[in-house]
Amino acid sequence: MSRAARHRPQKAAAEAWAKGRLGGAVARDWLERAARFAPDDPRIGLDLARARLDADDFAAARAAYERLARRYDVATGWMGMALAALRQGDMTGVTTALDVLLTRHVLADEPGSVAFLRQAAAMAGFGAIALTRPDGARVRLGTGRCLGERADELALTRVEGLVTPRADGGLEGWAARPAWPDEPPALFLTDATGRRERVRLGRALPADDNAPLLPRYRFRVSARKLAGLVPPFGLAGATGGDIFGSPVDPRALAEPPRRAEARGPLPPAPKPAAGLALVMPAYRGLEETRAALESVLDSAPRGARVLVVDDASPEPGLSAYLAGMAGRGRIELFRHERNQGFCAAVNTALAKAPGHDVVLLNSDILLPPGALETLRDVAYANHATGTVTPLSNEGSLASYPRAQGGNQMPDLAETTRLNGLARAVNGLDAVEVPTGVGFCLFIRHDCQAAVGALRGDLYAQGYGEENDFCLRARQAGFVSVLATGAFVAHRGGVSFRAQARGLMARNLAILERLFPGYQALVAAHFAADPAAGARARLDEARLREAVSGAREVVLMISHSHGGGVARQVRAEMARVRADKGAALLLATEFPADPERTPYPWRARLQAGEADDMPGLSFALETAFDQLMALLRDLGVGRVVLHHTLGHHPRVREIAGALGVAQEIVVHDYGAFCPRVNLLSRPAPTEPPRYCGEPAEAACVACCARDKGGVHERLGVRRLRARTRAEFAAASRVSAPSRDAARRMMRHFPGVTVEATPWEEDALPYELRRPPATGKRRVAVIGGIGPAKGFEVLRDCALDARARGLGLEFVVVGGSSDDERLIEAGVFVTGPYQEGEAQGLIAQLRPDLAFLPSIWPETWCFALTEAWRAGLWPVVFDLGAQGERVRTTGRGLALPLGLPPGRVNDVLLRAGP
């Protein structure tokens, strides 16, 4: 994707946010738009939650506040959640929010806030509240049953932060107190001898993506001030608890750098290991840890040791569970008195298992039976192998099915199935990787002995420590590999805490400093993607399972540009499956930079979601026969051709090559119009208009005069000859409306095109009558580009503004140029996902709908959305949109080409 394309949503979000913060009647609309373009920006989210609350949309406000409160644990979020719950009359919700607010956050002595808290608590049945003041004092206000009585001292006193060693031997970083972020916290530096010094904090750092809501106060400790102190240095708040990056030893950065790609001499063949040790650090998440540990115990080979390190968990339930497991002799348990992080926890266990092969395991994994045996077999298949990582749904460079990660975590049953399939199709296949991944990392005993422990002095709480280990192993001659015949599930996920994100960036910079070229090495690996074949084999195995036992196997062919085509394809696939068939989809694969990648694109075969089997990707110009062999093996007995946009021309040969029937579904007019939508420009600078479907010679001249927007380079005559042959050979040709069917049959005499409506127009929609006087808000639904009447809409908006008409236009969706519409006075919500339209329309409260499409649509889903919302629609009298309005009597069909002023006059009085 080009840089401009990447920045367009950011720019749109920033502009909408700025307008929303100005307040006024439409502030919420602008903030909703900002949130559509930047859904993960909590600053926009908080402003939007307030706007929803001000608009008395308590359910939406509460949902927004709760999402932010639980993700970022900010006092504003809990307070807003309580207020929204109170407005809803939900006293349980009020109690939940206020209890967290009072027990985990410091509150200023502001009379208004305190009065609200006491009143809300009283309404929830509490006569008193307990709160913490900025000076640390706990105060009880009122008598009787008390809300917030059990203070979370850890949360109230915790200091978060990040310390980074400087090249000059000093330290720098930031610190904050989440429970009271308005002031710098107390921060102390302690050296190895126990000497303690106060660290002076300076001004707050500007907000950024790593810390959008938490004010962070910077600090710097010079090498001169550290002189006389003994490293490593711990940095913590007044009540203890290291900030991230601590303990830190600036001397570690003085090591001479070693090129990441350098490799030492081949190590000797390994001697037998003393045994197998499964190492799991545990800190938070009782249920996740329980599930992980039970899966490990159920799948561990006989004689394996299970070593668990309780890294000073703040959850008593988790510590009690681990103690109980140790008491029953199921695990060996080691406990840290203070939290030291992943590196230290692993090193504690490694010290207890010298000479053992070791498997490092995160406490949020699911380990299926047989996976450890595969890892061990791969580790010993080559005496140079030092570490082995399995495939996982969330495993960085070990991720499957999407190599970039972000895959949904399967349950244990599905994990077991995937692991069995992986072993069946990939066996002991090993792919060299630049680094192993620590969620499940098999380390052979001789590699661990040669390399040593994890570097807690550099990587502190973690992130990057296994990469460092694998790079040191590489220097010692060992190889890290990916075992594509094993699969282990991993929850993973992104931390939203500023210190965690900062630590990742800090440690990556340290890695690159100590091992120059590391990031380039990883980038080259992803570019080469040596595991692609293994993932494709696993995809194919899953696909074969998906079609096994199906009554019939149907292949749909379409593009991947979404819209109404994708909606109808999904509906057809659902019908096939409901009839006990298997539905496959061959769609174009979006390249990394679609704006700069010309057609044809690769074709991707799938049985479910678009990214579920990304390894089944084919360049049809070279892999057509390979695809045909697979489709024959899968038993494809019918092909339904929906759309070929972006595909290689050979996609049209699939049904013939398979020797099966092909149905053709008409979505547009690409069968005879190279522009697809029957629009032409009389001159290059003029807007497009409906061509009127002239004689063939005029179509040829149109394409010769203006080559822009021509999707088929075949030429009009050859295009129509090809369509005529395809229609003649098809077992069935269908279109969603009578209008579209008639147009097709007019251009292809002798062909029968069945009209098969995609939705039921006979449903009893009740349409509201727009107000007879006053301002009217007009909804324009869908993605509004040139064919959908962009210029018509803009001209109508400009006319309404020039004449001071009581018309307000809002696009419920996106457009081809939001800025031009907004400049003309049109509000644009931004694109919506399927299923969101009705909610958006209801929120905007329009009075009627205007669908200004200037091409004869084959169906028009936007019209159905208008009816469902109870809106009286105004359309132009052509295509399916005109036919459906005339047939049902629900709406008004205007002559195409009516001037903007006349259109606006109609909109001012239109209604049932």
Side-chain angles (χ1 to χ4, degrees):
M1 184 180 296
S2 67
R3 177 174 295 183
R6 285 196 304 271
H7 288 295
R8 274 198 291 269
Q10 299 172 18
K11 183 174 182 286
E15 291 174 349
W17 186 27
K19 291 181 179 179
R21 300 192 82 184
L22 294 175
V26 295
R28 178 186 174 178
D29 292 344
W30 285 111
L31 291 170
E32 294 279 5
R33 172 177 165 83
R36 303 195 79 76
F37 285 102
D40 294 322
D41 189 321
R43 298 163 296 183
I44 294 174
L46 277 176
D47 285 343
L48 175 58
R50 292 189 196 101
R52 288 174 174 176
L53 196 61
D54 291 342
D56 293 343
D57 191 347
F58 304 131
R62 179 175 173 179
Y65 274 126
E66 184 168 3
R67 175 175 175 267
L68 292 164
R70 295 194 183 282
R71 177 173 287 187
Y72 295 97
D73 192 18
V74 288
T76 309
W78 296 113
M79 182 75 87
M81 179 182 164
L83 182 55
L86 185 65
R87 297 284 184 85
Q88 290 179 301
D90 179 3
M91 294 302 112
T92 300
V94 172
T95 300
T96 298
L98 289 188
D99 189 58
V100 176
L101 177 67
L102 292 167
T103 58
R104 293 179 57 85
H105 293 271
V106 174
L107 299 174
D109 243 342
E110 297 176 358
S113 297
V114 172
F116 164 73
L117 292 172
R118 294 193 64 178
Q119 180 185 15
M123 294 177 69
F126 294 86
I129 62 171
L131 55 83
T132 304
R133 287 178 171 157
D135 61 3
R138 287 286 291 173
V139 179
R140 181 185 176 112
L141 302 174
T143 60
R145 188 173 172 223
C146 184
L147 183 61
E149 196 165 25
R150 297 183 179 179
D152 186 337
E153 294 297 338
L154 183 63
L156 287 168
T157 59
R158 185 181 74 248
V159 173
E160 290 188 1
L162 178 70
V163 58
T164 300
R166 290 171 51 85
D168 61 7
L171 304 172
E172 65 181 357
W174 59 265
R177 184 182 171 194
W180 182 242
D182 294 354
E183 295 179 1
L187 184 69
F188 296 89
L189 181 148
T190 305
D191 77 352
T193 70
R195 183 175 169 184
R196 194 182 195 212
E197 301 282 350
R198 178 86 179 246
V199 177
R200 188 173 65 86
L201 298 178
R203 291 178 301 173
L205 293 164
D208 63 15
D209 290 341
N210 286 334
L213 298 178
L214 181 67
R216 301 163 299 155
Y217 300 91
R218 71 181 81 203
F219 67 82
R220 179 172 293 183
V221 183
S222 67
R224 181 177 58 82
K225 289 185 178 180
L226 293 175
L229 299 177
V230 181
F233 306 115
L235 285 93
T239 58
D242 286 338
I243 65 172
F244 274 25
S246 168
V248 59
D249 186 349
R251 298 173 304 181
L253 289 184
E255 296 177 9
R258 295 170 285 178
R259 294 296 305 175
E261 65 272 16
R263 192 191 303 279
L266 195 68
K271 296 177 181 179
L276 177 64
L278 310 178
V279 174
M280 180 182 290
Y283 181 61
R284 285 190 183 276
L286 170 59
E287 294 308 317
E288 290 176 358
T289 303
R290 189 200 307 273
L293 194 51
E294 293 292 345
S295 74
V296 170
L297 291 168
D298 289 345
S299 60
R302 184 181 298 274
R305 298 170 61 189
V306 180
L307 286 68
V308 179
V309 181
D310 181 345
D311 193 21
S313 172
E315 300 179 9
L318 175 57
S319 294
Y321 164 72
L322 295 176
M325 295 290 283
R328 294 193 296 275
R330 301 200 69 194
I331 64 172
E332 299 176 46
L333 180 63
F334 308 93
R335 178 170 172 79
H336 288 167
E337 292 304 315
R338 64 180 182 85
N339 176 249
Q340 299 178 49
F342 187 83
C343 295
V346 167
N347 289 340
T348 293
L350 291 179
K352 306 295 182 181
H356 285 63
D357 290 333
V358 174
V359 183
L360 307 186
L361 297 166
N362 279 9
S363 61
D364 60 349
I365 56 98
L366 292 175
L367 184 68
L372 289 175
E373 286 81 356
T374 299
L375 297 181
R376 181 193 58 205
D377 292 347
V378 169
Y380 282 92
N382 179 351
H383 77 263
T385 300
T387 76
V388 187
T389 304
L391 291 172
S392 177
N393 59 290
E394 193 64 64
S396 184
L397 50 69
S399 294
Y400 174 85
R402 292 187 294 275
Q404 68 273 25
N407 304 289
Q408 185 175 358
M409 182 181 183
D411 60 18
L412 184 57
E414 178 64 8
T415 300
T416 301
R417 187 183 75 87
L418 287 172
N419 181 63
L421 282 176
R423 180 63 191 250
V425 298
N426 289 329
L428 299 183
D429 176 62
V431 175
E432 183 174 351
V433 290
T435 177
V437 190
F439 74 95
C440 178
L441 184 65
F442 188 108
I443 304 175
R444 215 169 63 190
H445 67 283
D446 52 328
C447 177
Q448 200 270 311
V451 177
L454 301 185
R455 297 286 307 268
D457 58 331
L458 282 171
Y459 303 101
Q461 289 75 18
Y463 299 117
E465 70 282 350
E466 76 269 38
N467 314 67
D468 176 277
F469 181 93
C470 292
L471 289 168
R472 286 186 285 136
R474 185 186 183 103
Q475 307 275 334
F478 290 95
V479 175
S480 292
V481 301
L482 174 64
T484 62
F487 182 92
V488 174
H490 178 218
R491 185 171 303 280
V494 177
S495 173
F496 293 97
R497 291 207 171 275
Q499 61 179 0
R501 292 184 169 192
L503 186 66
M504 294 175 67
R506 164 202 188 265
N507 288 358
L508 185 60
I510 289 175
L511 263 176
E512 187 65 27
R513 177 170 181 164
L514 294 179
F515 299 96
Y518 169 71
Q519 294 185 60
L521 192 66
V522 172
H525 173 83
F526 273 105
D529 197 10
R535 292 197 307 273
R537 288 191 292 273
L538 186 50
D539 280 346
E540 185 176 325
R542 290 170 53 223
L543 186 63
R544 292 180 185 278
E545 274 200 352
V547 305
S548 177
R551 189 181 64 82
E552 69 167 341
V553 181
V554 181
L555 176 68
M556 312 276 177
I557 298 174
S558 188
H559 61 57
S560 53
H561 292 269
V565 176
R567 183 171 177 173
Q568 185 57 23
V569 169
R570 283 194 298 270
E572 266 197 53
M573 294 178 76
R575 283 194 291 270
V576 170
R577 290 167 184 150
D579 198 27
K580 298 183 180 180
L584 306 180
L585 174 62
L586 187 71
T588 47
E589 177 180 299
F590 261 86
D593 190 353
E595 292 185 350
R596 299 181 181 180
T597 306
Y599 295 145
W601 292 348
R602 296 176 68 90
R604 180 181 291 179
L605 185 63
Q606 60 203 53
E609 296 300 319
D611 293 333
D612 197 39
M613 297 176 180
L616 300 180
S617 175
F618 303 86
L620 294 189
E621 59 267 34
T622 57
F624 183 82
D625 292 342
Q626 178 189 351
L627 174 61
M628 291 305 100
L630 175 58
L631 294 177
R632 288 190 191 96
D633 285 350
L634 294 172
V636 171
R638 179 161 61 98
V639 173
V640 182
L641 183 64
H642 280 272
H643 216 291
T644 62
L645 177 65
H647 277 289
H648 189 275
R650 295 207 71 183
V651 77
R652 298 177 174 278
E653 303 173 19
I654 289 177
L658 294 175
V660 301
Q662 174 167 276
E663 300 173 19
I664 297 176
V665 180
V666 172
H667 288 268
D668 52 39
Y669 301 101
F672 61 88
C673 172
R675 298 188 192 282
V676 173
N677 51 27
L678 304 179
L679 298 183
S680 66
R681 295 179 185 272
T685 58
E686 292 188 31
R689 62 185 62 175
Y690 172 51
C691 67
E693 301 172 56
E696 188 175 273
C699 294
V700 173
C702 169
C703 293
R705 180 178 66 250
D706 179 14
K707 292 181 167 50
V710 174
H711 293 278
E712 276 283 2
R713 304 298 176 184
L714 198 60
V716 174
R717 294 185 178 90
R718 291 176 61 196
L719 167 64
R720 296 181 179 186
R722 184 185 69 186
T723 299
R724 196 171 292 110
E726 289 177 345
F727 279 5
S731 61
R732 179 174 180 258
V733 181
S734 67
S737 64
R738 292 190 302 273
D739 180 273
R742 284 194 298 269
R743 289 176 195 273
M744 284 293 171
M745 289 187 287
R746 186 166 66 246
H747 286 275
F748 299 101
V751 172
T752 299
V753 180
E754 300 177 22
T756 308
W758 288 344
E759 294 171 299
E760 181 53 72
D761 281 357
L763 292 175
Y765 297 108
E766 292 188 12
L767 308 188
R768 299 189 301 275
R769 182 179 296 276
T773 60
K775 197 167 190 177
R776 286 185 167 192
R777 177 173 269 199
V778 181
V780 184
I781 304 168
I784 309 303
K788 294 286 188 175
F790 178 95
E791 295 296 341
V792 172
L793 171 60
R794 183 172 178 273
D795 289 345
C796 286
L798 291 172
D799 174 76
R801 186 164 65 187
R803 295 164 60 198
L805 302 179
L807 290 174
E808 178 188 2
F809 294 93
V810 293
V811 173
V812 184
S815 80
S816 55
D817 192 340
D818 287 5
E819 288 188 17
R820 287 186 68 213
L821 287 183
I822 290 169
E823 288 170 0
V826 180
F827 177 75
V828 185
T829 67
Y832 58 80
Q833 300 298 315
E834 187 172 341
E836 293 182 336
Q838 290 302 305
L840 264 179
I841 295 170
Q843 172 197 311
L844 292 165
R845 300 178 182 176
D847 300 302
L848 71 161
F850 177 38
L851 308 180
S853 186
I854 60 172
W855 74 290
E857 297 203 42
T858 57
W859 182 246
C860 191
F861 286 109
L863 177 59
T864 311
E865 296 287 4
W867 283 340
R868 287 181 61 205
L871 299 178
W872 181 262
V874 176
V875 303
F876 288 121
D877 193 7
L878 81 165
Q881 65 270 43
E883 177 184 79
R884 295 174 68 197
V885 163
R886 281 187 279 99
T887 301
T888 62
R890 292 194 298 256
L892 179 64
L894 304 178
L896 182 65
L898 207 63
R902 293 286 303 280
V903 172
N904 283 344
D905 292 341
V906 171
L907 293 176
L908 284 169
R909 63 176 187 272

